[in-house]
Amino acid sequence: MAEQSEDSGITTETLMEKIAEKIHGHDSSSSSDSDSDNEKSAASSVKAKIYRIFGRERPVHNVLGGGKPADVFLWRNKKISAGVLGTATAVWVLFELVEYHLLTLACHILILSLAVLFLWSNVHTFINKSPPRIPEFHFREEPFLQVASALRMEINWVFATLREIASGRDLKKFLVVIASLWVVSIVGSWCNFLTLFYIIFVVLHTVPVLYEKYEDKVDPFAEKAMIEIKKQYAVFDARVLSKIPKAAAFKAKKV
């Protein structure tokens, strides 16, 4: 009987020890989980505090729309990007520096192509060559409809934005658009449309990829610049805009 009581006492103690170990293990795991959750929340809060240009929260690739155009702008495939940029440069040199005209170029290309194909089709029996295989071109309707739909949406968005600005609801947006159009008009007086288009094309192929590479260094400078711009705008608002009766009336309505 004494031995049985001792054995039961031992088993009870071992059971209690196992239960205590499980409780401590659960506490430690829960505490580690809570620590990891706290670390994640702290990391996410720090990440949220990082300033990004234009307030973006997505990568540059997604901001540019993703897909093949974004791959070309960000040089994901260097051969394709270099080929596109080189073609645009050749077109600009041909039309702007050499002063070649688009209609003349198209006619010369068609003349040369038709002459080569016509001669080849007639003399292939004399030179023991097979006749040229002229492919049949059939444009599908879907790509044109997609481009037209996307263009229609963008035009509608532009007109809606211009209507909102013209209604006088947002003075800040009005001033930004006026200043942007003024800058574009000045740049347009310096060069023609083709040169301006080529400059924009080159900027799209250089600035995004450089920004993606050095965004951690660019964003702090952009944050300081935005703070300074906001300060200057506040001074301009206090000294000039607040004295305009119409602007003051709109501010009173918002309040």
Side-chain angles (χ1 to χ4, degrees):
M1 294 295 290
E3 292 176 356
Q4 292 178 354
S5 62
E6 290 177 357
D7 294 337
S8 62
I10 293 171
T11 55
T12 305
E13 290 178 357
T14 54
L15 287 173
M16 293 297 291
E17 291 176 356
K18 290 180 179 180
I19 291 170
E21 288 177 358
K22 288 182 179 181
I23 292 172
H24 289 299
H26 179 71
D27 293 337
S28 61
S29 64
S30 62
S31 62
S32 62
D33 293 337
S34 61
D35 293 337
S36 63
D37 293 336
N38 292 330
E39 291 176 358
K40 290 180 180 179
S41 62
S44 63
S45 62
V46 170
K47 186 178 180 180
K49 293 179 181 179
I50 297 176
Y51 177 83
R52 298 297 183 189
I53 294 179
F54 306 119
R56 64 176 184 85
E57 296 179 355
R58 300 177 297 167
V60 180
H61 188 271
N62 293 337
V63 172
L64 293 175
K68 293 182 179 180
D71 293 339
V72 173
F73 290 141
L74 295 177
W75 294 74
R76 294 288 191 264
N77 192 328
K78 295 183 179 180
K79 292 182 179 180
I80 296 176
S81 300
V84 171
L85 186 59
T87 302
T89 304
V91 170
W92 178 76
V93 170
L94 191 64
F95 291 127
E96 186 64 23
L97 298 183
V98 184
E99 295 184 354
Y100 214 67
H101 298 286
L102 179 61
L103 184 60
T104 305
L105 177 63
C107 292
H108 286 175
I109 291 174
L110 286 174
I111 290 171
L112 181 62
S113 301
L114 291 174
V116 170
L117 292 174
F118 181 81
L119 291 175
W120 191 359
S121 299
N122 284 278
V123 301
H124 71 277
T125 56
F126 299 99
I127 59 176
N128 296 323
K129 295 288 185 179
S130 60
R133 295 180 181 179
I134 303 173
E136 295 183 0
F137 294 98
H138 295 285
F139 293 101
R140 293 185 299 172
E141 186 179 2
E142 290 80 6
F144 290 95
L145 292 177
Q146 292 176 359
V147 172
S149 177
L151 185 62
R152 180 185 62 83
M153 292 176 62
E154 294 296 331
I155 292 174
N156 288 336
W157 176 80
V158 170
F159 279 113
T161 304
L162 293 176
R163 183 177 180 276
E164 182 182 359
I165 294 170
S167 62
R169 298 176 182 175
D170 193 341
L171 182 61
K172 183 178 180 181
K173 187 181 292 186
F174 169 77
L175 294 175
V176 170
V177 171
I178 293 299
S180 301
L181 292 174
W182 181 66
V183 171
V184 172
S185 66
I186 293 176
V187 175
S189 64
W190 294 342
C191 56
N192 56 19
F193 179 76
L194 180 61
T195 302
L196 181 62
F197 181 80
Y198 176 69
I199 292 172
I200 295 173
F201 194 81
V202 173
V203 168
L204 287 175
H205 277 77
T206 54
V207 174
V209 65
L210 291 175
Y211 171 70
E212 187 184 36
K213 187 176 181 180
Y214 301 104
E215 60 179 342
D216 294 334
K217 298 180 180 179
V218 173
D219 287 335
F221 290 103
E223 184 179 9
K224 294 179 182 178
M226 287 301 299
I227 293 173
E228 187 64 27
I229 290 172
K230 289 180 180 179
K231 288 181 180 179
Q232 297 299 326
Y233 178 78
V235 174
F236 180 72
D237 187 17
R239 294 181 179 179
V240 179
L241 299 181
S242 60
K243 297 179 181 179
I244 301 175
K246 195 172 182 180
F250 277 117
K251 288 184 178 181
K253 288 181 180 179
K254 289 182 180 180
V255 174

